[in-house]
Amino acid sequence: AAAGGTAQLGCSARGDPAPQVQWHKEHGDLPWGRYEVDREHTLRLYAVTPADAGAYVCTAQSQLGTAAATTFLHV
């Protein structure tokens, strides 16, 4: 992602019952006030900075279990 721009990180999670999806940064916190997660579980980071670079983890959890996937953001 270009510094100052918006980064979109996708996460596809389906199931019956529908899993709850959460995002977190592997080493740090999501940027306070500069992110949102939409209904399709896409994480959007606004006005990205080099400090936002790193690994982001999407975790889906239901009664049937938990699954996680990691993606990397480069700024």
Side-chain angles (χ1 to χ4, degrees), residues 2 4 7 12 15 18 26 31-32 34 36-37 43 48 50-51 53 55-57 62 65 67-68 70 74:
S12 178
E26 197 167 67
W32 180 255
R34 294 190 296 112
E36 70 178 0
V37 179
L43 173 65
V48 295
Y56 288 80
V57 181
S62 75
T70 302
H74 301 276

PDB file of all heavy atoms in Angstrom, residues 2 4 7 12 15 18 26 31-32 34 36-37 43 48 50-51 53 55-57 62 65 67-68 70 74:
ATOM      1  N   ALA A   2       0.407   2.277  -0.613  1.00  0.00           N
ATOM      2  CA  ALA A   2       1.145   3.541  -0.621  1.00  0.00           C
ATOM      3  C   ALA A   2       0.844   4.309   0.660  1.00  0.00           C
ATOM      4  O   ALA A   2      -0.295   4.341   1.117  1.00  0.00           O
ATOM      5  CB  ALA A   2       0.732   4.373  -1.826  1.00  0.00           C
ATOM      6  N   GLY A   4      -0.272   6.961   3.128  1.00  0.00           N
ATOM      7  CA  GLY A   4      -1.337   7.939   2.993  1.00  0.00           C
ATOM      8  C   GLY A   4      -2.583   7.399   2.333  1.00  0.00           C
ATOM      9  O   GLY A   4      -3.631   8.035   2.365  1.00  0.00           O
ATOM     10  N   ALA A   7      -5.594   0.703   2.622  1.00  0.00           N
ATOM     11  CA  ALA A   7      -5.276  -0.705   2.387  1.00  0.00           C
ATOM     12  C   ALA A   7      -6.510  -1.536   2.702  1.00  0.00           C
ATOM     13  O   ALA A   7      -7.217  -1.265   3.680  1.00  0.00           O
ATOM     14  CB  ALA A   7      -4.109  -1.138   3.265  1.00  0.00           C
ATOM     15  N   SER A  12     -12.189 -14.368   4.031  1.00  0.00           N
ATOM     16  CA  SER A  12     -13.383 -15.116   3.661  1.00  0.00           C
ATOM     17  C   SER A  12     -13.631 -16.198   4.700  1.00  0.00           C
ATOM     18  O   SER A  12     -12.797 -17.083   4.893  1.00  0.00           O
ATOM     19  CB  SER A  12     -13.188 -15.745   2.275  1.00  0.00           C
ATOM     20  OG  SER A  12     -14.321 -16.500   1.924  1.00  0.00           O
ATOM     21  N   GLY A  15     -19.772 -20.552   7.165  1.00  0.00           N
ATOM     22  CA  GLY A  15     -20.110 -21.728   7.953  1.00  0.00           C
ATOM     23  C   GLY A  15     -21.550 -21.657   8.412  1.00  0.00           C
ATOM     24  O   GLY A  15     -22.226 -20.655   8.255  1.00  0.00           O
ATOM     25  N   ALA A  18     -22.899 -19.216  11.151  1.00  0.00           N
ATOM     26  CA  ALA A  18     -21.917 -18.253  10.634  1.00  0.00           C
ATOM     27  C   ALA A  18     -20.888 -17.936  11.723  1.00  0.00           C
ATOM     28  O   ALA A  18     -21.260 -17.691  12.875  1.00  0.00           O
ATOM     29  CB  ALA A  18     -22.617 -16.984  10.195  1.00  0.00           C
ATOM     30  N   GLU A  26      -0.491  -8.714  14.345  1.00  0.00           N
ATOM     31  CA  GLU A  26       0.289  -9.724  15.047  1.00  0.00           C
ATOM     32  C   GLU A  26       1.191  -9.121  16.123  1.00  0.00           C
ATOM     33  O   GLU A  26       1.319  -9.670  17.205  1.00  0.00           O
ATOM     34  CB  GLU A  26       1.109 -10.531  14.040  1.00  0.00           C
ATOM     35  CG  GLU A  26       1.610 -11.837  14.604  1.00  0.00           C
ATOM     36  CD  GLU A  26       2.145 -12.743  13.521  1.00  0.00           C
ATOM     37  OE1 GLU A  26       3.174 -12.412  12.924  1.00  0.00           O
ATOM     38  OE2 GLU A  26       1.513 -13.787  13.281  1.00  0.00           O
ATOM     39  N   PRO A  31      -4.724   0.379  14.039  1.00  0.00           N
ATOM     40  CA  PRO A  31      -4.570   1.830  14.197  1.00  0.00           C
ATOM     41  C   PRO A  31      -5.866   2.487  14.682  1.00  0.00           C
ATOM     42  O   PRO A  31      -6.864   2.509  13.965  1.00  0.00           O
ATOM     43  CB  PRO A  31      -4.175   2.316  12.800  1.00  0.00           C
ATOM     44  CG  PRO A  31      -4.666   1.250  11.879  1.00  0.00           C
ATOM     45  CD  PRO A  31      -4.597  -0.039  12.645  1.00  0.00           C
ATOM     46  N   TRP A  32      -5.857   2.990  15.882  1.00  0.00           N
ATOM     47  CA  TRP A  32      -7.028   3.574  16.513  1.00  0.00           C
ATOM     48  C   TRP A  32      -7.642   4.672  15.643  1.00  0.00           C
ATOM     49  O   TRP A  32      -6.959   5.608  15.234  1.00  0.00           O
ATOM     50  CB  TRP A  32      -6.638   4.141  17.880  1.00  0.00           C
ATOM     51  CG  TRP A  32      -7.795   4.759  18.592  1.00  0.00           C
ATOM     52  CD1 TRP A  32      -8.031   6.091  18.749  1.00  0.00           C
ATOM     53  CD2 TRP A  32      -8.888   4.085  19.192  1.00  0.00           C
ATOM     54  NE1 TRP A  32      -9.204   6.280  19.430  1.00  0.00           N
ATOM     55  CE2 TRP A  32      -9.755   5.061  19.715  1.00  0.00           C
ATOM     56  CE3 TRP A  32      -9.228   2.749  19.335  1.00  0.00           C
ATOM     57  CZ2 TRP A  32     -10.934   4.745  20.377  1.00  0.00           C
ATOM     58  CZ3 TRP A  32     -10.395   2.427  20.000  1.00  0.00           C
ATOM     59  CH2 TRP A  32     -11.235   3.421  20.511  1.00  0.00           C
ATOM     60  N   ARG A  34      -8.571   4.598  12.580  1.00  0.00           N
ATOM     61  CA  ARG A  34      -8.239   4.598  11.147  1.00  0.00           C
ATOM     62  C   ARG A  34      -8.544   3.263  10.477  1.00  0.00           C
ATOM     63  O   ARG A  34      -7.961   2.929   9.463  1.00  0.00           O
ATOM     64  CB  ARG A  34      -6.758   4.933  10.938  1.00  0.00           C
ATOM     65  CG  ARG A  34      -6.388   6.343  11.344  1.00  0.00           C
ATOM     66  CD  ARG A  34      -4.982   6.716  10.901  1.00  0.00           C
ATOM     67  NE  ARG A  34      -3.960   5.898  11.540  1.00  0.00           N
ATOM     68  CZ  ARG A  34      -3.195   4.996  10.927  1.00  0.00           C
ATOM     69  NH1 ARG A  34      -3.306   4.790   9.638  1.00  0.00           N
ATOM     70  NH2 ARG A  34      -2.299   4.316  11.608  1.00  0.00           N
ATOM     71  N   GLU A  36     -11.776   0.038   9.709  1.00  0.00           N
ATOM     72  CA  GLU A  36     -13.124  -0.501   9.835  1.00  0.00           C
ATOM     73  C   GLU A  36     -13.148  -1.890   9.228  1.00  0.00           C
ATOM     74  O   GLU A  36     -12.291  -2.240   8.409  1.00  0.00           O
ATOM     75  CB  GLU A  36     -14.161   0.403   9.163  1.00  0.00           C
ATOM     76  CG  GLU A  36     -14.084   0.431   7.649  1.00  0.00           C
ATOM     77  CD  GLU A  36     -15.166   1.303   7.015  1.00  0.00           C
ATOM     78  OE1 GLU A  36     -15.986   1.889   7.753  1.00  0.00           O
ATOM     79  OE2 GLU A  36     -15.185   1.370   5.784  1.00  0.00           O
ATOM     80  N   VAL A  37     -14.126  -2.687   9.635  1.00  0.00           N
ATOM     81  CA  VAL A  37     -14.333  -4.024   9.096  1.00  0.00           C
ATOM     82  C   VAL A  37     -15.758  -4.057   8.557  1.00  0.00           C
ATOM     83  O   VAL A  37     -16.706  -3.753   9.282  1.00  0.00           O
ATOM     84  CB  VAL A  37     -14.134  -5.113  10.176  1.00  0.00           C
ATOM     85  CG1 VAL A  37     -14.386  -6.491   9.597  1.00  0.00           C
ATOM     86  CG2 VAL A  37     -12.739  -5.026  10.772  1.00  0.00           C
ATOM     87  N   LEU A  43     -10.969  -5.870   6.122  1.00  0.00           N
ATOM     88  CA  LEU A  43     -10.372  -4.853   6.984  1.00  0.00           C
ATOM     89  C   LEU A  43      -9.860  -3.732   6.104  1.00  0.00           C
ATOM     90  O   LEU A  43      -9.097  -3.968   5.161  1.00  0.00           O
ATOM     91  CB  LEU A  43      -9.222  -5.460   7.790  1.00  0.00           C
ATOM     92  CG  LEU A  43      -8.373  -4.486   8.617  1.00  0.00           C
ATOM     93  CD1 LEU A  43      -9.202  -3.841   9.724  1.00  0.00           C
ATOM     94  CD2 LEU A  43      -7.160  -5.209   9.193  1.00  0.00           C
ATOM     95  N   VAL A  48      -2.677   4.975   5.692  1.00  0.00           N
ATOM     96  CA  VAL A  48      -1.650   4.064   6.195  1.00  0.00           C
ATOM     97  C   VAL A  48      -0.285   4.751   6.285  1.00  0.00           C
ATOM     98  O   VAL A  48       0.031   5.648   5.509  1.00  0.00           O
ATOM     99  CB  VAL A  48      -1.545   2.772   5.349  1.00  0.00           C
ATOM    100  CG1 VAL A  48      -2.808   1.948   5.441  1.00  0.00           C
ATOM    101  CG2 VAL A  48      -1.195   3.054   3.920  1.00  0.00           C
ATOM    102  N   PRO A  50       4.060   3.834   7.458  1.00  0.00           N
ATOM    103  CA  PRO A  50       4.999   2.713   7.568  1.00  0.00           C
ATOM    104  C   PRO A  50       4.825   1.921   8.866  1.00  0.00           C
ATOM    105  O   PRO A  50       5.073   0.713   8.894  1.00  0.00           O
ATOM    106  CB  PRO A  50       6.367   3.383   7.495  1.00  0.00           C
ATOM    107  CG  PRO A  50       6.123   4.590   6.633  1.00  0.00           C
ATOM    108  CD  PRO A  50       4.759   5.080   7.059  1.00  0.00           C
ATOM    109  N   ALA A  51       4.349   2.556   9.934  1.00  0.00           N
ATOM    110  CA  ALA A  51       4.129   1.846  11.200  1.00  0.00           C
ATOM    111  C   ALA A  51       3.003   0.817  11.092  1.00  0.00           C
ATOM    112  O   ALA A  51       2.922  -0.106  11.913  1.00  0.00           O
ATOM    113  CB  ALA A  51       3.818   2.847  12.310  1.00  0.00           C
ATOM    114  N   ALA A  53       2.706  -1.305   8.655  1.00  0.00           N
ATOM    115  CA  ALA A  53       3.209  -2.492   7.969  1.00  0.00           C
ATOM    116  C   ALA A  53       3.335  -3.636   8.963  1.00  0.00           C
ATOM    117  O   ALA A  53       3.591  -3.436  10.152  1.00  0.00           O
ATOM    118  CB  ALA A  53       4.563  -2.202   7.331  1.00  0.00           C
ATOM    119  N   ALA A  55       2.174  -8.050   9.911  1.00  0.00           N
ATOM    120  CA  ALA A  55       1.274  -9.188   9.750  1.00  0.00           C
ATOM    121  C   ALA A  55      -0.061  -8.907  10.422  1.00  0.00           C
ATOM    122  O   ALA A  55      -0.109  -8.447  11.572  1.00  0.00           O
ATOM    123  CB  ALA A  55       1.913 -10.434  10.351  1.00  0.00           C
ATOM    124  N   TYR A  56      -1.135  -9.183   9.702  1.00  0.00           N
ATOM    125  CA  TYR A  56      -2.494  -9.036  10.219  1.00  0.00           C
ATOM    126  C   TYR A  56      -3.158 -10.410  10.183  1.00  0.00           C
ATOM    127  O   TYR A  56      -3.022 -11.155   9.213  1.00  0.00           O
ATOM    128  CB  TYR A  56      -3.286  -8.042   9.382  1.00  0.00           C
ATOM    129  CG  TYR A  56      -2.828  -6.618   9.597  1.00  0.00           C
ATOM    130  CD1 TYR A  56      -1.690  -6.135   8.966  1.00  0.00           C
ATOM    131  CD2 TYR A  56      -3.513  -5.772  10.452  1.00  0.00           C
ATOM    132  CE1 TYR A  56      -1.248  -4.838   9.178  1.00  0.00           C
ATOM    133  CE2 TYR A  56      -3.080  -4.467  10.668  1.00  0.00           C
ATOM    134  CZ  TYR A  56      -1.953  -4.020  10.025  1.00  0.00           C
ATOM    135  OH  TYR A  56      -1.510  -2.733  10.247  1.00  0.00           O
ATOM    136  N   VAL A  57      -3.886 -10.726  11.251  1.00  0.00           N
ATOM    137  CA  VAL A  57      -4.485 -12.052  11.398  1.00  0.00           C
ATOM    138  C   VAL A  57      -6.004 -11.924  11.449  1.00  0.00           C
ATOM    139  O   VAL A  57      -6.548 -11.140  12.230  1.00  0.00           O
ATOM    140  CB  VAL A  57      -3.976 -12.748  12.678  1.00  0.00           C
ATOM    141  CG1 VAL A  57      -4.586 -14.140  12.807  1.00  0.00           C
ATOM    142  CG2 VAL A  57      -2.464 -12.824  12.678  1.00  0.00           C
ATOM    143  N   SER A  62     -16.533 -20.317  15.602  1.00  0.00           N
ATOM    144  CA  SER A  62     -17.918 -20.739  15.813  1.00  0.00           C
ATOM    145  C   SER A  62     -17.898 -21.912  16.790  1.00  0.00           C
ATOM    146  O   SER A  62     -16.831 -22.321  17.253  1.00  0.00           O
ATOM    147  CB  SER A  62     -18.582 -21.146  14.490  1.00  0.00           C
ATOM    148  OG  SER A  62     -18.108 -22.407  14.069  1.00  0.00           O
ATOM    149  N   GLY A  65     -15.427 -24.653  15.864  1.00  0.00           N
ATOM    150  CA  GLY A  65     -13.974 -24.507  15.947  1.00  0.00           C
ATOM    151  C   GLY A  65     -13.513 -23.128  15.546  1.00  0.00           C
ATOM    152  O   GLY A  65     -14.302 -22.205  15.353  1.00  0.00           O
ATOM    153  N   ALA A  67     -10.557 -20.963  13.029  1.00  0.00           N
ATOM    154  CA  ALA A  67      -9.593 -20.964  11.927  1.00  0.00           C
ATOM    155  C   ALA A  67      -9.001 -19.559  11.842  1.00  0.00           C
ATOM    156  O   ALA A  67      -9.659 -18.566  12.131  1.00  0.00           O
ATOM    157  CB  ALA A  67     -10.281 -21.319  10.614  1.00  0.00           C
ATOM    158  N   ALA A  68      -7.722 -19.489  11.477  1.00  0.00           N
ATOM    159  CA  ALA A  68      -7.045 -18.200  11.365  1.00  0.00           C
ATOM    160  C   ALA A  68      -6.202 -18.171  10.101  1.00  0.00           C
ATOM    161  O   ALA A  68      -5.695 -19.204   9.649  1.00  0.00           O
ATOM    162  CB  ALA A  68      -6.169 -17.945  12.585  1.00  0.00           C
ATOM    163  N   THR A  70      -3.226 -15.435   8.077  1.00  0.00           N
ATOM    164  CA  THR A  70      -2.375 -14.265   8.225  1.00  0.00           C
ATOM    165  C   THR A  70      -2.045 -13.675   6.860  1.00  0.00           C
ATOM    166  O   THR A  70      -1.809 -14.414   5.902  1.00  0.00           O
ATOM    167  CB  THR A  70      -1.045 -14.661   8.928  1.00  0.00           C
ATOM    168  OG1 THR A  70      -1.366 -15.248  10.194  1.00  0.00           O
ATOM    169  CG2 THR A  70      -0.151 -13.458   9.147  1.00  0.00           C
ATOM    170  N   HIS A  74       2.611  -4.344   3.343  1.00  0.00           N
ATOM    171  CA  HIS A  74       3.856  -3.615   3.099  1.00  0.00           C
ATOM    172  C   HIS A  74       3.492  -2.182   2.718  1.00  0.00           C
ATOM    173  O   HIS A  74       2.628  -1.978   1.863  1.00  0.00           O
ATOM    174  CB  HIS A  74       4.659  -4.261   1.963  1.00  0.00           C
ATOM    175  CG  HIS A  74       5.016  -5.682   2.232  1.00  0.00           C
ATOM    176  ND1 HIS A  74       6.109  -6.046   2.973  1.00  0.00           N
ATOM    177  CD2 HIS A  74       4.410  -6.838   1.880  1.00  0.00           C
ATOM    178  CE1 HIS A  74       6.173  -7.353   3.063  1.00  0.00           C
ATOM    179  NE2 HIS A  74       5.133  -7.862   2.403  1.00  0.00           N
TER     180      HIS A  74
END
